[in-house]
Amino acid sequence: MRMAELSRVTGVPVATIKYYLREGLLPRGEVTTSPNQARYGQEHVRRLALVRSLVEVGGLSIAAVRAVLAAIDDPAVPLHDTLGLTIDAADAPAPAVDDPLHAAAAARLDAIVAERGWRLSPDPLARRAAIDVLATMQRVTGDRLTGLADVYAEAAERIAEADLDTVTAVEDPETRVETALVGTVLGERLLAALRRLAQEHVSAQRFPPPSRETPCPPPPDPSRP
Amino acid sequence: MRMAELSRVTGVPVATIKYYLREGLLPRGEVTTSPNQARYGQEHVRRLALVRSLVEVGGLSIAAVRAVLAAIDDPAVPLHDTLGLTIDAADAPAPAVDDPLHAAAAARLDAIVAERGWRLSPDPLARRAAIDVLATMQRVTGDRLTGLADVYAEAAERIAEADLDTVTAVEDPETRVETALVGTVLGERLLAALRRLAQEHVSAQRFPPPSRETPCPPPPDPSRP
């Protein structure tokens, strides 16, 4: 198909497709005899859907998407490395800060990791991100929030098991990596949104809102006139 | 204290403090007899730490921080509304899309909400965000990932209970809202980072990395020469 049809099929504007081509996020189409009339196939449809989800919904940078796609496309990169790269590319790297708050946060995190028996690579980006958050929580709210890390780590492990169950069930290697990638990036958004909804529910239970309308109309009460 | 000392105490550069003052994220200091020499107190130190954590680590926009601070500072806003506003302000609003994928995603989400007995306000931003993620997952990977939503919702509820336990334990109302706010925004980052670490651990268990160095040196083996 030509670019106009690729745009129609995928719902991605032509200008965006051209941008992804320029940025190397989408392979060039097959050149035809007519100049400026490359042909695109199903692999372009699929790749466009992936890129769009990572950029638009996942919020990944163009550079992060490029790094991840390069790893997916390189058969020499073993699956575990691709997953690791996926995971790292989706993280905004936190600066390595060297102060007492960060040192204490690192000790707290490492204790949790050790207690759960997690075996990790030497210094994954996510470790630095977690340390940065814990140090900031401590700075702003003292000890009040940092104790949540244990509950979160336990939940995170259950979630990761489910994530990997899903990934492992996919047989085709390319689809598997794609599933891992989308699951990591979008799953984070899903989890955050569900936590907000759950917070609203639990918060409304504990602090009943007197001024708010009830979300659903009450069932009809037969004892009422 | 003067602005220079406020900067020293908080570690926030003077230019950033002036920016926050201009943007209304920090109340003006007490005006002194000497012009251009406002005085700042402990409430400025505290507010600066809060703003900085929301902007720098939480990634909130200036407008979102301003909305949340206005609610914190308004005694007429009940606590539950402040928490709701906190939760909404921290969300990037997802567009309300009207297509079959989003309709199916909305039905799936509402079924989960109903099954868990969550009582929510009519259309919280987080609901739209979750629907958008589910629709995108479906578009890119078909049914493979959407089944995770049940596991995530269960984990989210346990996390929200812990979050609210922490918040409820704080007696001072202002500190309580501050704790809820920081916990919501930074907790999301913490959870995402811990999920990544847990994924690395589980992934390494299931797809052993042959080429990678072992994270820790093996213990000495006495049977070896």
Side-chain angles (χ1 to χ4, degrees), chain A residues 3-203:
Chain A
M3 190 181 285
E5 197 186 344
L6 180 64
S7 169
R8 199 182 51 72
V9 168
T10 58
V12 179
V14 167
T16 307
I17 295 178
K18 287 184 175 172
Y19 173 63
Y20 289 161
L21 283 167
R22 273 202 310 277
E23 292 290 336
L25 304 186
L26 190 68
R28 300 268 154 203
E30 193 191 334
V31 178
T32 62
T33 48
S34 155
N36 301 323
Q37 285 273 1
R39 296 246 169 218
Y40 301 90
Q42 282 311 311
E43 72 276 19
H44 292 91
V45 172
R46 178 174 175 170
R47 182 53 57 96
L48 258 184
L50 176 62
V51 168
R52 193 180 162 202
S53 71
L54 296 176
V55 173
E56 291 178 19
V57 184
L60 255 64
S61 71
I62 297 293
V65 174
R66 195 188 294 119
V68 171
L69 294 178
I72 290 183
D73 293 337
D74 182 354
V77 176
L79 183 63
H80 178 75
D81 282 349
T82 314
L83 294 180
L85 187 68
T86 301
I87 291 167
D88 270 358
D91 262 326
V97 183
D98 186 22
D99 65 17
L101 276 180
H102 279 74
R108 177 183 276 271
L109 181 68
D110 290 344
I112 292 172
V113 167
E115 196 191 325
R116 304 210 69 83
W118 290 354
R119 287 180 66 85
L120 306 175
S121 55
D123 188 22
L125 285 183
R127 177 175 174 274
R128 261 195 268 163
I131 290 169
D132 201 39
V133 170
L134 285 171
T136 305
M137 283 178 165
Q138 183 77 40
R139 194 181 68 222
V140 180
T141 66
D143 275 329
R144 280 193 294 276
L145 288 166
T146 50
L148 288 169
D150 293 290
V151 179
Y152 284 23
E154 195 185 337
E157 191 174 316
R158 263 194 302 265
I159 287 165
E161 294 277 357
D163 288 337
L164 268 292
D165 285 346
T166 302
V167 170
T168 317
V170 180
E171 294 203 356
D172 171 55
E174 192 188 336
T175 308
R176 182 190 277 184
V177 174
E178 198 176 290
T179 307
L181 179 58
V182 174
T184 295
V185 176
L186 296 195
E188 184 173 315
R189 306 280 153 148
L190 180 62
L191 185 58
L194 289 171
R195 172 173 174 250
R196 301 273 172 84
L197 293 178
Q199 283 181 334
E200 185 182 323
H201 167 67
V202 178
S203 174

Side-chain angles (χ1 to χ4, degrees), chain A residues 121 152 163 188 196 200 215, chain B residues 120-121 152 163 188 196 200:
Chain A
S121 55
Y152 284 23
D163 288 337
E188 184 173 315
R196 301 273 172 84
E200 185 182 323
Chain B
L120 306 175
S121 55
Y152 284 24
D163 288 338
E188 184 174 313
R196 301 273 171 84
E200 184 181 323

